[in-house]
């Protein structure tokens, strides 16, 4: 296992079953505030940083509020949902513990910083992650490699010696562009296109299959 020195997890869709929660919160906000939701909106915003998707909600969906207000309101709604019942993926806690026993872990997420910290606090997983990075802390969101490159930099591990755990098309493309070994756990609600899935080094059916052996094989 010498060639892998660290593991970087995505959050939404990998550790928390939250893609549909984001989708519903943004769609409901658009309906309440006179926006023009369309079928591509969910796909377009997946993987975007908070700065990017809130600007999309303003420019493309037609919300009149400034992007920073849009972002803050969606985050407030998700915080309420998470505090009521955190949608932790079954087997996620055990998978994190298995890998944390072997390697230092990082988190590279498109979620806002407040939500990353809240999820790790509520789940009890914060102690396993030595580094967490939000896409709002780098120049570009996924599929650009910025958030994964920053996670590797903060870990002090070259990207080619990191393994990334992803579920979405933009996430897979982001981690691969960073030069990491990519293990994909395809999101069944928003499955990656075949060409994106083909970039992954390993494709798992569920997080229950995420073992040190699969990471390092």
């Amino acid at each position: 296992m010498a060639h892998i020195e660290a593991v970087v997890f995505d959050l939404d869709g990998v550790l928390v079953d939250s893609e549909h929660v984001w989708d519903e919160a943004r769609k409901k906000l658009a309906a309440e505030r006179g926006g023009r939701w369309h079928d591509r909106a969910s796909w377009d915003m997946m993987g975007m940083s908070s700065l990017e998707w809130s600007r999309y909600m303003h420019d493309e969906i037609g919300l009149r509020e400034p992007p920073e207000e849009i972002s803050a309101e969606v985050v407030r709604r998700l915080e309420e949902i998470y505090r009521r019942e955190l949608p932790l993926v079954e087997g996620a806690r055990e998978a994190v513990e298995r890998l944390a026993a072997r390697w230092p872990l990082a988190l590279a997420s498109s979620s806002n910083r407040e939500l990353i910290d809240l999820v790790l606090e509520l789940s009890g997983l914060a102690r396993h992650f030595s580094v967490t990075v939000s896409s709002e802390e780098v120049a570009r969101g996924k599929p650009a490699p910025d958030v994964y490159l920053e996670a590797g930099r903060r870990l002090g591990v070259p990207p080619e010696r990191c393994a990334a755990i992803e579920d979405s098309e933009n996430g897979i493309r982001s981690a691969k562009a960073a030069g990491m070994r990519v293990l994909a756990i395809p999101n069944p609600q928003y499955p990656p296109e075949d060409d994106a899935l083909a970039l992954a080094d390993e494709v798992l059916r569920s997080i229950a299959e995420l073992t040190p052996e699969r990471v390092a094989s």
Side-chain angles (χ1 to χ4, degrees):
M1 299 186 187
H3 67 293
I4 295 296
E5 296 178 7
V7 178
V8 186
F9 279 84
D10 176 41
L11 180 65
D12 295 288
V14 173
L15 299 181
V16 284
D17 184 16
S18 55
E19 298 289 9
H20 66 288
V21 181
W22 278 98
D23 199 25
E24 290 164 11
R26 291 189 286 219
K27 186 183 290 188
K28 187 174 181 182
L29 184 64
E32 291 171 359
R33 309 219 172 155
R36 303 177 301 275
W37 193 264
H38 56 80
D39 292 342
R40 284 292 309 176
S42 299
W43 286 96
D44 289 347
M45 286 187 278
M46 191 170 292
M48 285 185 178
S49 70
S50 60
L51 300 174
E52 293 166 337
W53 65 252
S54 57
R55 192 176 302 124
Y56 181 99
M57 291 281 287
H58 180 274
D59 296 346
E60 299 294 329
I61 304 301
L63 273 65
R64 292 186 295 275
E65 293 82 4
E68 57 269 22
E69 289 185 20
I70 296 169
S71 177
E73 178 58 21
V74 172
V75 167
R76 185 190 68 77
R77 296 181 184 206
L78 262 74
E79 285 178 338
E80 284 186 358
I81 293 168
Y82 286 175
R83 289 187 185 278
R84 193 161 59 243
E85 184 178 0
L86 184 68
L88 197 67
V89 170
E90 184 178 356
R93 180 176 285 106
E94 294 81 0
V96 168
E97 291 171 350
R98 283 196 298 272
L99 270 55
R102 298 277 187 142
W103 298 287
L105 303 185
L107 195 73
S109 173
S110 299
S111 272
N112 303 59
R113 166 54 59 187
E114 305 98 304
L115 292 173
I116 292 172
D117 293 345
L118 181 61
V119 168
L120 293 182
E121 174 196 338
L122 293 175
S123 65
L125 293 175
R127 62 192 176 90
H128 294 300
F129 290 91
S130 55
V131 165
T132 62
V133 187
S134 167
S135 289
E136 63 187 0
E137 297 163 359
V138 295
R140 300 171 297 171
K142 302 172 185 180
D146 302 30
V147 69
Y148 277 104
L149 291 172
E150 179 63 12
R153 188 190 70 78
R154 293 187 193 180
L155 283 167
V157 178
E160 64 271 15
R161 292 190 175 273
C162 294
I165 317 301
E166 266 290 353
D167 70 303
S168 70
E169 178 167 333
N170 283 343
I172 293 167
R173 294 187 187 280
S174 173
K176 198 65 180 178
M180 295 187 179
R181 170 171 166 76
V182 181
L183 290 89
I185 308 172
N187 189 315
Q189 293 174 301
Y190 305 95
E193 296 289 344
D194 289 345
D195 61 334
L197 205 55
L199 297 173
D201 299 283
E202 290 270 346
V203 178
L204 311 180
R205 288 173 295 182
S206 75
I207 201 165
E209 296 184 352
L210 184 60
T211 63
E213 292 73 26
R214 295 298 290 272
V215 169
S217 64

